[in-house]
Amino acid sequence: MMQAQEAVSCIKAEPQPITEVDIFISTQRIKVLNADSQETMIDHALRTISYIADIGNIVVLMARRRLPHCDSQENVEVSDPSQDSKHQHKMLCHVFESEDAQMIAQSIGQAFSVAYQEFLRANGINPEDLGQTEYSELLSTQDMYNEDLVHFSRSENCKDVFIEKVKGEILGVVIVESGWGSILPTVIIANMMHAGPAERSGKVNIGDQIMSVNGTSLIGLPLSTCQNIIK
C-alpha cells in the first residue's frame, strides 16, 4: 500500500498526459486498450498481478514482469539470491482514475476467486467439496503457476485450526491484504491482541495467511468483507 500511495503521489506531483482507456478483466488476463484506437496499451496475465489498491477515485495496479537478464538492478525483486537471473522480476505500476475505482479493484479480486474455482474444476474437483489443506496437496502434483505457489504445495505450511472464545468476545487479530501475487490472494495476520483468543490458542502466528473461516473462503474477497466474516 505504501508503494501504491507513493505512485499516486508521484503522479500528482508531476502531472502526466491522461489517456482515456477501456479495461478488460478476465480469469486469464487484464488488458488496457486505448479508448479511441482500441490499441492494446497494457496486457498482463492475471497471475502476474502482485497488488491492486483503490485509493479514493484512483486505482493502482502493480504487476511483476520477469526479466530475461540481470543487466539492471533497478526496481528488481529477487525471490532467492542464490537463484540465477531467471528468477528476477521488475515491478510495473499503473495508475488509473475512475469514479468506479472500488468496483474495478473488487472485480479483479473476483477474477482471482473465479480463476481459483476454475483451477479446481479443471482438475475434476468440486470446490465446495475441497478443504484448503486438500487443495495444497493437489498443488503438489501440478506444475506451479507461480513461484509463490510453491509455498502452498507443502502440507506443513497449511493447517486447520480451532480457536475457542467466549460468546461475544472478539477473535483478537488484525488483518491486512496479502496482495495479489498468486492464485490465492487472501488476508494475512498483521497483529494479535495480547491475551486475546487467537494469541491464547497458540495455533496462529503473525504472518499466517487466512484462507477460510468456518468453511467460508476468503480468497479474492475485499479486505472489508474478510474482516466482517472474521467478526
Side-chain angles (χ1 to χ4, degrees), residues 83-123:
Q83 299 297 314
D84 58 31
S85 60
K86 70 178 182 179
H87 290 295
Q88 295 184 352
H89 299 81
K90 182 174 184 177
M91 190 68 71
L92 303 178
C93 186
H94 308 290
V95 180
F96 306 92
E97 183 178 16
S98 172
E99 294 180 355
D100 298 318
Q102 184 178 30
M103 184 183 71
I104 293 171
Q106 291 180 351
S107 296
I108 296 175
Q110 185 179 26
F112 270 101
S113 181
V114 174
Y116 165 67
Q117 306 285 326
E118 290 181 350
F119 176 79
L120 296 181
R121 292 191 177 94
N123 287 276

Side-chain angles (χ1 to χ4, degrees), residues 3-21 23 32 41-42 44 51-63 92-98 101 104:
Q3 290 177 319
Q5 291 172 334
E6 182 180 355
V8 173
S9 298
C10 289
I11 293 295
K12 290 182 177 179
E14 298 181 16
Q16 306 292 321
I18 296 176
T19 302
E20 188 171 350
V21 299
I23 300 180
V32 178
M41 301 174 64
I42 299 170
H44 291 301
Y51 192 74
I52 177 99
D54 58 290
I55 306 172
N57 64 341
I58 299 292
V59 177
V60 180
L61 184 68
M62 302 177 74
L92 303 178
C93 186
H94 308 290
V95 180
F96 306 92
E97 183 178 16
S98 172
I104 293 171

Side-chain angles (χ1 to χ4, degrees), residues 125-204:
I125 297 170
N126 183 345
E128 297 178 358
D129 297 337
L130 184 69
Q132 302 296 347
T133 302
E134 294 172 302
Y135 176 59
S136 71
E137 294 173 353
L138 168 67
L139 283 178
S140 66
T141 66
Q142 306 296 321
D143 291 331
M144 294 298 101
Y145 276 43
N146 184 303
E147 289 92 342
D148 296 340
L149 287 181
V150 173
H151 174 82
F152 294 101
S153 71
R154 298 170 182 156
S155 59
E156 66 269 20
N157 291 332
C158 300
K159 59 185 177 181
D160 295 320
V161 300
F162 178 78
I163 299 176
E164 293 187 30
K165 68 184 187 68
V166 178
K167 185 177 181 179
E169 184 181 23
I170 64 172
L171 190 60
V173 296
V174 177
I175 59 172
V176 296
E177 294 167 316
S178 64
W180 308 90
S182 77
I183 205 171
L184 291 173
T186 179
V187 294
I188 190 169
I189 298 177
N191 204 352
M192 290 191 290
M193 182 178 71
H194 179 62
E199 186 183 77
R200 289 199 310 264
S201 73
K203 297 177 180 178
V204 294

